[in-house]
């Protein structure tokens, strides 16, 4: 109802930034609650009762997102079950869903990384969280001896022709 009645011209110019910040906090808390509850909703089996092919398809439909994004949020929701500090920060709207996903990814691989990643997330440093999560996964892989396996699994060769019909190769 608030959004339907919201007319920017009626707000004093000095109050608009505060209103935008307040709306962002509300949005973050709602999105955080959605991510935290996504796994529980999937386990409740509503997706089957409503005729969806998977929990991800159900979540994508109800959240207005892609199946890939719903899958990512469900993975984060599951990981947050073991990360109460991150789950709490997300639920309070202190961090965004994207930074929470990064923290969950890194802290799931390396539990000691959660506090540092969460600190970056609270500062709104999404790039720093993603870099830190990548480093945490790399450290965990090296400690467990899985680094070579991950490199082998993620290797790729991509070839295509550009608009001048020249062959381009990308090797990873």
């Amino acid at each position: 109802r608030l959004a339907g009645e919201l007319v920017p011209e009626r707000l004093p110019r000095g109050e608009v930034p505060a209103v935008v910040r307040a709306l962002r906090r509300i949005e973050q808390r709602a999105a955080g609650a959605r991510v935290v509850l996504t796994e529980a909703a999937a386990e409740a089996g509503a997706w089957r009762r409503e005729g969806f092919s998977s929990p991800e398809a159900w979540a994508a439909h109800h959240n207005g997102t892609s199946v890939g994004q719903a899958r990512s949020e469900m993975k984060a929701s599951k990981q947050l079950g073991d990360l109460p500090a991150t789950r709490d920060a997300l639920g309070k709207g202190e961090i965004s869903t994207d930074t929470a996903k990064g923290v969950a990814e890194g802290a799931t691989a390396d539990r000691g990384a959660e506090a540092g990643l969460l600190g970056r997330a609270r500062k709104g440093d999404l790039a720093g969280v993603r870099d830190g999560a990548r480093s945490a996964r790399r450290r965990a892989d090296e400690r467990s001896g899985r680094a070579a396996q991950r490199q082998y699994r993620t290797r790729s060769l991509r070839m295509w022709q550009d608009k001048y019909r020249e062959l381009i190769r990308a090797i990873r």
Side-chain angles (χ1 to χ4, degrees):
R1 182 180 156 143
L2 172 67
E5 297 174 2
L6 192 59
V7 179
E9 294 79 26
R10 291 186 186 163
L11 289 174
R13 289 264 185 240
E15 292 180 21
V16 173
V19 170
V20 169
R21 285 190 295 272
L23 290 172
R24 178 65 184 151
R25 283 191 302 275
I26 292 167
E27 182 181 23
Q28 276 191 221
R29 286 186 79 142
R34 187 189 74 238
V35 170
V36 168
L37 295 173
T38 297
E39 181 66 18
E43 289 175 0
W47 63 276
R48 264 194 205 100
R49 287 190 301 278
E50 293 179 26
F52 286 91
S53 61
S54 68
E56 294 85 359
W58 177 87
H61 174 78
H62 288 288
N63 295 337
T65 64
S66 69
V67 173
Q69 185 174 348
R71 184 176 297 114
S72 171
E73 288 185 358
M74 291 188 78
K75 179 181 177 185
S77 181
K78 192 176 288 188
Q79 292 169 330
L80 288 170
D82 296 328
L83 304 167
T86 303
R87 184 180 58 229
D88 186 49
L90 179 61
K92 289 179 179 177
E94 294 173 3
I95 61 176
S96 71
T97 56
D98 287 336
T99 55
K101 288 179 201 177
V103 172
E105 189 75 27
T108 298
D110 179 4
R111 285 299 158 94
E114 183 181 14
L117 291 171
L118 194 51
R120 288 180 180 176
R122 283 189 171 115
K123 292 177 185 173
D125 183 9
L126 178 58
V129 169
R130 287 181 174 163
D131 289 343
R134 205 172 6 261
S135 295
R137 286 192 312 270
R138 190 177 315 112
R139 283 191 308 271
D141 282 351
E142 288 169 357
R143 278 195 302 267
S144 68
R146 292 184 306 209
Q149 291 173 340
R150 181 179 44 78
Q151 289 170 344
Y152 180 79
R153 207 176 47 248
T154 60
R155 74 194 188 290
S156 66
L157 169 65
R158 185 172 165 233
M159 298 172 62
W160 69 97
Q161 286 184 339
D162 66 7
K163 66 181 181 179
Y164 303 109
R165 303 193 48 80
E166 292 183 20
L167 185 63
I168 309 294
R169 290 183 298 247
I171 302 170
R172 179 182 150 150

